[in-house]
């Protein structure tokens, strides 16, 4: 199929959104807790930033309910969901009518060493101290120094692409 070319002056935003829907993203819950309040959102715009020192990057819409709470807390967690946790992604994507602390279902979350919510069944979870926050466009870039890491190597990371969920399957006999 030939590539679709767009008139960038007229259609950059729709073209950008169409192209980004093709990029698979690992689904994580970015969560925070501060003075008895908790908030969180599902996100695919996150990654490691540095190994020395261990640092994470996450992008959060400034209109997200958890955005300002993250700033007040000065900390957050990134919790990579397993393929079996599509319902958790739906809850934190505002698809179930829950908000704030109500999104944190009992027995699924615990506080990390720094007090931030960690999903007990996350494939990987990172508790971070907020080092910096940069506003750009509609989002803030969060830069967090990792304070705690948890991992379940047997997990199957949940992915999102073209409006649907998936998980990766390794190519047999192919090593990177």
């Amino acid at each position: 199929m030939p590539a679709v070319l767009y008139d960038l002056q007229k259609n950059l935003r729709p073209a950008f959104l169409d192209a980004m829907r093709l990029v698979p993203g690992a689904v994580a819950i970015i969560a925070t807790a501060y003075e008895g309040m908790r908030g969180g959102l599902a996100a695919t715009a996150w990654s490691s930033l540095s190994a020395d020192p261990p640092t994470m990057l996450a992008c959060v819409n400034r209109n997200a309910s958890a955005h300002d709470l993250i700033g007040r807390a000065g900390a957050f967690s990134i919790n990579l969901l397993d393929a079996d946790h599509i319902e958790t992604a739906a809850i934190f994507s505002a698809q179930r009518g829950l908000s704030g602390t109500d999104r944190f279902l009992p027995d699924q979350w615990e506080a990390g060493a720094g007090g931030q919510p960690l999903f007990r069944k996350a494939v990987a979870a990172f508790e971070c101290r907020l080092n910096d926050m940069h506003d750009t466009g509609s989002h803030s870039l969060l830069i967090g120094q990792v304070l705690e890491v948890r991992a379940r190597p047997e997990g199957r990371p949940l992915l999102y692409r073209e409006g649907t969920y998936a998980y990766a399957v390794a190519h047999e006999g192919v090593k990177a």
Side-chain angles (χ1 to χ4, degrees):
M1 178 190 314
V4 177
L5 299 177
Y6 294 91
D7 177 344
L8 295 181
Q9 296 303 314
K10 293 182 181 177
N11 299 312
L12 184 57
R13 185 177 192 282
F16 175 79
L17 294 174
D18 287 348
M20 288 306 299
R21 287 177 58 82
L22 301 175
V23 178
V27 181
I29 304 303
I30 299 173
T32 193
Y34 180 69
E35 294 185 351
M37 296 178 289
R38 288 189 290 182
L41 61 135
T44 57
W46 64 276
S47 71
S48 64
L49 180 61
S50 171
D52 297 310
T55 307
M56 300 295 289
L57 171 91
C59 302
V60 174
N61 190 305
R62 290 198 312 261
N63 291 325
S65 59
H67 179 275
D68 292 344
L69 190 59
I70 292 169
R72 288 195 303 273
F76 62 96
S77 65
I78 300 174
N79 303 272
L80 174 59
L81 294 181
D82 188 277
D84 292 335
H85 294 106
I86 293 171
E87 182 62 19
T88 301
I91 289 168
F92 282 87
S93 298
Q95 296 175 24
R96 300 296 184 259
L98 299 174
S99 62
T101 300
D102 293 338
R103 291 180 173 176
F104 294 83
L105 299 182
D107 301 323
Q108 292 188 3
W109 295 86
E110 62 189 4
Q116 295 307 301
L118 297 175
F119 188 59
R120 289 184 176 175
K121 295 183 180 179
V123 175
F126 307 89
E127 185 175 18
C128 303
R129 179 181 65 234
L130 182 63
N131 278 0
D132 213 345
M133 190 178 230
H134 297 278
D135 291 343
T136 184
S138 58
H139 284 63
S140 291
L141 293 148
L142 311 179
I143 298 172
Q145 183 175 349
V146 177
L147 304 174
E148 181 177 352
V149 176
R150 297 183 185 181
R152 282 189 325 107
E154 71 278 8
R156 298 173 305 147
L158 181 63
L159 303 176
Y160 186 78
R161 181 180 183 270
E162 289 194 89
T164 192
Y165 293 107
Y167 63 93
V169 177
H171 287 279
E172 290 187 33
V174 179
K175 294 284 184 183

